[in-house]
């Protein structure tokens, strides 16, 4: 691809688009000038010559080394157009439709464009309903939920108006290319959703331009973790909770089936936070038994190294918290404990707040990258995407005919040089600080190991400090059967295998700077239930380990459907607990006390089951 082929603005802020190929480029001004023809210098590809036929003919432009400017031989400069995604609260007059000077905000134009998309039938690939189904759907016969969850099937959702015409589905070709693609429980979670947002943002921007709104409109983000003292940004922005637009017509951003409200933020039980931003590693191996290395505070930023994964359990820290937490909290439940649209992956994309939530998740990924300390995977399996293993490509429709934009994680991993539909596309965020919420910075992996060894009395840390060799991953203990969570608190003891525990003890005795003791993990395996917007908190020997969201559990629990049936698996690093026992000379144990708290007590007949609690060691 040619670096000129992107959007620029001149000194009068007029938008200019360069399209074409090296041999023949075309320059078009948004104010009607052009098109002008040009070519790229074959011996120096950062120089173009364009024939401005209305203004003295040929001029030569040179691309700056960072691709941000074209400097012309007549002394003028064009700057790269970088779309700016702004804060839904701070940059929209407190989350409203009209700013302090009486002008419409980005949220207003979002609402207007969503309304246009919602007026189109589901068979139109540029309709709101088609776009929501790209994430997931309960509309195709094979996807439908049985009782008692049939209220989530799209034909039963009030928010979907008659204009959607759900009786006429798109062709099977279109639905098989585009629908049910969202990537969850996988290292593809961040890049798949980035492409999804870019595609939608472009459809919305085209509509907004046609409505005479701003031609550089960009998707706002909802930073529920902001510590602003001006607004309580953990609340849903008002533009999403009022029922009418300024002209008194219905507000499409208001969703009756959105039952949650505030996001609960903090570092304790059942709270959304951005501790994930301190992770330093993007991914881990795909096999469920691959439990290491992990740092002491969590797992990995982007998720497990899987193939195409519409629902899975290799959930990265960004996806688990805040992403899954916010889905559950915003979806919420009504008085008869029905889950709101945001609470279930197959209905979440219907709620317009979804895209502002994901804009924030995407912002966090960008912020994580721009620190310069954290890199995305470099393996071909990630860069090329699921096609590297023969799975389907990521695809988004560009127009009403269903013309596809196919993309890979490599295409979208840089927001500055994203490759979109044969051209470069650049956007950024009004705030790219690493964290918003005041999470405590965990030590980096190496420092953490050093702290751990210090605590355990292993000295001479200056030389040879390295991660334990994780060759052995071994089951140390497991619950004898499945566990049913009926109440807010369920206590159980997990027996430990004497021989395996002895290996853990030996690893402490043999510990040296080049030979760190075992790490110990607990897995809740095969978690099934019907309440995606519930949360579980794990305690081991009365010590709080971590909370997890059950987002996705309903689909993962459905047997004999396309949704799966294996349930969800959650991993917890409990090395700290074992270290404490060792330091107290109390590791001579037969069992561990495990306590699982459910944020809301499961209802009769709607229990949460845990197929097995497994405890593993990972080390020498
Ligand atoms: Cu999501």
């Amino acid at each position: 691809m040619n670096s000129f082929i992107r959007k620029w603005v001149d000194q009068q802020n007029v938008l200019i688009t360069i399209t074409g190929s090296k041999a023949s480029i075309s320059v078009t001004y948004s104010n009607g000038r052009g098109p002008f023809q040009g070519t790229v210098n074959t011996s120096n590809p950062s120089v173009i010559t364009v024939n401005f036929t209305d203004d003295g003919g040929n001029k030569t432009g040179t691309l700056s080394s960072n691709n941000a400017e074209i400097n012309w031989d007549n002394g003028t400069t064009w700057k790269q157009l970088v779309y700016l995604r702004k804060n839904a609260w701070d940059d929209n007059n407190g989350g409203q439709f009209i700013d302090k000077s009486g002008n419409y905000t980005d949220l207003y134009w979002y609402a207007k464009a969503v309304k246009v998309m919602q007026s189109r039938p589901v068979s139109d690939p540029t309709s709101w309903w088609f776009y929501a189904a790209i994430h997931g759907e309960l509309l195709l016969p094979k996807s439908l939920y049985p009782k008692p969850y049939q209220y989530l099937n799209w034909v039963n959702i009030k928010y979907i108006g008659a204009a959607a015409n759900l009786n006429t589905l798109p062709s099977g070709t279109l639905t098989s290319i585009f629908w049910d693609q969202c990537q969850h429980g996988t290292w593809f979670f961040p890049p798949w959703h980035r492409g999804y947002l870019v595609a939608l943002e472009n459809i919305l921007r085209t509509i907004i331009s046609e409505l005479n709104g701003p031609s550089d409109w960009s998707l706002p983000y909802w930073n529920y973790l902001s510590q602003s003292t001006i607004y309580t940004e953990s609340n849903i922005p008002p533009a999403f909770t009022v029922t009418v637009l300024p002209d008194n017509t219905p507000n499409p951003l208001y969703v009756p089936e959105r039952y949650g409200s505030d996001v609960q933020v903090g570092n304790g039980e059942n709270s959304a936070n951005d501790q994930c931003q301190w992770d330093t590693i993007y991914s881990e191996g795909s096999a469920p038994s691959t439990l290491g290395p992990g740092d002491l505070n969590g797992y990995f930023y982007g998720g497990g190294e899987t193939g195409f994964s519409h629902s899975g359990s290799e959930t990265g820290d960004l996806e688990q918290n805040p992403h899954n937490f916010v889905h559950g909290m915003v979806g919420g439940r009504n008085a008869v404990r029905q889950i709101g649209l945001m609470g279930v992956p197959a209905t979440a994309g219907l709620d317009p707040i979804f895209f502002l939530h994901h804009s924030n998740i995407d912002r966090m990924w960008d912020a994580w990258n721009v620190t310069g300390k954290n890199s995305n995977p470099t393996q071909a399996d990630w860069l090329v995407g699921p096609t590297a293993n023969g799975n389907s490509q990521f695809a988004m429709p560009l127009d009403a005919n269903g013309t596809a934009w196919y993309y890979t994680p490599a295409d979208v991993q840089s927001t500055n040089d994203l490759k979109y539909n044969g051209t470069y596309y650049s956007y950024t965020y009004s705030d790219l600080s690493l964290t918003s919420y005041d999470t405590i910075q965990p030590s980096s992996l190496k420092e953490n190991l050093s702290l751990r060894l210090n605590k355990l009395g292993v000295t001479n840390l200056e030389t040879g400090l390295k991660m334990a060799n994780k060759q052995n991953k071994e089951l140390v203990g497991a619950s004898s059967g499945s566990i049913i969570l009926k109440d807010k608190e369920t206590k159980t003891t997990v027996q430990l295998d004497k021989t395996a525990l002895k290996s853990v003890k030996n690893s402490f005795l043999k510990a040296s700077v080049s030979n760190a003791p075992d790490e110990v993990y607990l897995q809740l395996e095969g978690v099934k239930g019907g309440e995606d917007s519930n949360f579980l908190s794990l305690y081991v020997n009365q010590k709080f380990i971590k909370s997890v969201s059950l987002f996705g559990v309903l689909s993962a629990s459905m047997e004999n459907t396309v949704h799966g049936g294996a349930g969800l698996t959650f991993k917890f690093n409990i090395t700290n607990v074992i270290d404490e026992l060792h330091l107290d000379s109390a590791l001579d144990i037969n069992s561990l006390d495990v306590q699982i708290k459910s944020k809301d007590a499961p209802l009769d007949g709607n229990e949460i089951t845990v197929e097995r609690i497994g405890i593993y060691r990972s080390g020498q």
Side-chain angles (χ1 to χ4, degrees):
M1 210 184 302
N2 184 315
S3 290
F4 292 105
I5 297 176
R6 56 171 75 209
K7 291 190 170 161
W8 304 90
V9 284
D10 67 10
Q11 269 133 327
Q12 285 73 43
N13 222 23
V14 175
L15 177 65
I16 298 151
T17 307
I18 305 184
T19 53
S21 65
K22 269 190 177 187
S24 163
I25 58 174
S26 175
V27 175
T28 317
Y29 285 67
S30 64
N31 63 4
R33 272 189 77 195
F36 303 114
Q37 298 310 310
T39 49
V40 176
N41 186 322
T42 41
S43 58
N44 185 352
S46 63
V47 173
I48 51 171
T49 304
V50 175
N51 186 7
F52 294 94
T53 49
D54 66 344
D55 186 23
N58 282 346
K59 290 194 176 50
T60 300
T62 308
L63 192 66
S64 65
S65 56
N66 61 358
N67 292 345
E69 288 177 0
I70 304 173
N71 299 299
W72 293 94
D73 58 9
N74 64 356
T76 59
T77 298
W78 292 359
K79 288 198 184 327
Q80 187 191 140
L81 178 71
V82 181
Y83 293 108
L84 182 65
R85 293 186 181 171
K86 293 179 226 145
N87 183 306
W89 280 96
D90 302 341
D91 305 323
N92 284 267
N93 192 23
Q96 303 196 68
F97 291 127
I98 295 176
D99 70 15
K100 291 207 164 70
S101 336
N103 297 316
Y104 292 128
T105 63
D106 285 350
L107 289 175
Y108 172 82
W109 291 110
Y110 181 53
K112 292 297 277 186
V114 167
K115 203 174 235 190
V116 170
M117 287 183 76
Q118 292 190 348
S119 70
R120 299 169 179 170
V122 70
S123 55
D124 177 345
T126 63
S127 70
W128 188 254
W129 323 111
F130 192 102
Y131 252 79
I134 292 171
H135 191 263
E137 48 77 33
L138 297 171
L139 184 58
L140 296 177
K142 63 171 185 185
S143 309
L144 299 180
Y145 278 168
K147 279 182 183 174
Y149 305 107
Q150 79 277 32
Y151 67 90
L152 288 164
N153 292 337
W154 284 21
V155 289
N156 298 323
I157 294 174
K158 283 198 198 73
Y159 179 66
I160 304 177
N165 192 11
L166 297 182
N167 296 322
T168 307
L169 295 174
S171 72
T173 311
L174 287 177
T175 59
S176 69
I177 295 174
F178 295 116
W179 282 17
D180 301 307
Q181 277 189 77
C182 75
Q183 297 292 300
H184 289 134
T186 165
W187 62 347
F188 293 131
F189 166 78
W192 183 84
H193 284 84
R194 175 167 289 170
Y196 187 37
L197 296 192
V198 165
L200 180 81
E201 182 176 58
N202 276 278
I203 289 180
L204 291 166
R205 183 182 297 120
T206 302
I207 296 170
I208 288 166
S209 295
E210 286 163 6
L211 296 171
N212 294 318
S215 60
D216 60 350
W217 179 90
S218 310
L219 189 64
Y221 62 91
W222 173 29
N223 183 7
Y224 27 75
L225 295 166
S226 164
Q227 291 295 285
S228 163
T229 50
I230 303 167
Y231 305 113
T232 308
E233 300 191 20
S234 54
N235 291 343
I236 295 174
F240 289 82
T241 58
V242 295
T243 56
V244 291
L245 294 177
D247 64 3
N248 269 323
T249 59
N251 174 15
L253 308 186
Y254 169 76
V255 176
E257 294 101 335
R258 185 196 299 135
Y259 305 126
S261 54
D262 309 354
V263 170
Q264 184 191 321
V265 297
N267 289 312
E269 256 186 38
N270 306 324
S271 300
N273 59 57
D274 50 18
Q275 286 175 3
C276 65
Q277 294 299 85
W278 301 112
D279 284 356
T280 55
I281 302 174
Y282 185 96
S283 62
E284 64 173 336
S286 59
S289 60
T290 308
L291 289 164
D295 65 36
L296 294 183
N297 300 284
Y299 283 85
F300 299 91
Y301 192 70
E305 297 170 9
T306 71
F308 190 94
S309 172
H310 185 47
S311 70
S313 285
E314 299 291 321
T315 309
D317 288 340
L318 173 69
E319 183 182 348
Q320 175 57 246
N321 190 352
H323 168 263
N324 287 359
F325 275 62
V326 171
H327 269 288
M329 289 170 183
V330 173
R333 277 175 304 196
N334 67 6
V336 291
R337 302 226 356 189
Q338 293 181 334
I339 310 165
L341 301 185
M342 268 287 275
V344 175
T347 53
L350 291 165
D351 186 335
I353 197 79
F354 174 100
F355 296 95
L356 274 73
H357 170 30
H358 269 276
S359 184
N360 192 50
I361 295 295
D362 187 73
R363 184 186 68 88
M364 289 175 69
W365 181 28
D366 199 18
W368 190 76
N369 277 149
V370 299
T371 60
K373 286 189 244 160
N374 306 309
S375 14
N376 295 331
T378 52
Q379 298 103 300
D381 279 354
W382 187 80
L383 293 169
V384 178
T387 40
N389 295 310
N391 303 126
S392 41
Q393 291 172 278
F394 299 154
M396 294 296 155
L398 294 164
D399 55 35
N401 298 322
T403 310
W405 165 45
Y406 291 104
Y407 65 98
T408 65
D411 290 341
V412 298
Q413 68 167 326
S414 160
T415 59
N416 189 45
D417 269 326
L418 192 142
K419 288 161 197 74
Y420 168 68
N421 187 25
T423 183
Y424 284 99
Y425 186 80
S426 304
Y427 69 90
T428 189
Y429 290 94
S430 60
D431 178 8
L432 278 174
S433 6
L434 186 61
T435 66
S436 315
Y437 184 72
D438 59 346
T439 51
I440 306 138
Q441 178 176 14
S443 310
S444 73
L445 188 59
K446 196 174 168 196
E447 285 162 346
N448 228 330
L449 180 58
S450 148
L451 282 176
R452 182 181 176 214
L453 293 180
N454 261 325
K455 206 168 85 175
L456 295 171
V458 179
T459 50
N460 291 325
L461 290 176
E462 291 74 23
T463 53
L465 180 64
K466 67 172 190 188
M467 304 265 305
N469 175 352
K470 304 289 171 166
Q471 289 308 310
N472 285 319
K473 284 148 193 113
E474 185 183 9
L475 188 69
V476 181
S479 58
S480 50
S482 64
I483 295 136
I484 301 173
L485 312 183
K486 290 183 183 151
D487 304 306
K488 277 196 147 189
E489 288 185 35
T490 305
K491 286 183 180 166
T492 185
T493 52
V494 178
Q495 301 299 319
L496 302 178
D497 175 79
K498 281 211 168 65
T499 317
L501 186 63
K502 198 164 182 198
S503 301
V504 177
K505 288 184 211 161
N506 281 340
S507 81
F508 282 105
L509 297 177
K510 291 189 297 189
S512 69
V513 288
S514 58
N515 200 1
D518 288 354
E519 292 196 359
V520 180
Y521 298 83
L522 183 147
Q523 280 198 160
L524 299 180
E525 297 165 356
V527 178
K528 295 184 192 176
E531 296 205 315
D532 287 45
S533 44
N534 209 342
F535 297 84
L536 300 181
S537 298
L538 179 79
Y539 288 75
V540 176
N541 286 5
Q542 288 76 52
K543 188 178 160 66
F544 173 60
I545 306 294
K546 197 169 79 169
S547 296
V548 290
S549 151
L550 291 179
F551 184 62
V553 75
L554 183 50
S555 275
S557 306
M558 298 251 175
E559 286 173 38
N560 307 321
T561 71
V562 289
H563 306 291
L568 295 175
T569 289
F570 299 100
K571 297 176 196 172
F572 303 84
N573 190 326
I574 61 166
T575 305
N576 271 340
V577 176
I578 303 299
D579 282 357
E580 294 295 332
L581 287 169
H582 167 75
L583 287 171
D584 293 347
S585 304
L587 200 46
D588 237 342
I589 47 171
N590 300 315
S591 62
L592 285 173
D593 290 332
V594 175
Q595 185 184 12
I596 305 167
K597 290 190 186 178
S598 164
K599 187 179 178 214
D600 301 303
L603 284 186
D604 274 354
N606 205 357
E607 293 86 0
I608 300 164
T609 59
V610 180
E611 199 172 283
R612 189 175 86 150
I613 299 175
I615 293 171
Y616 300 81
R617 72 177 192 92
S618 169
Q620 305 286 325

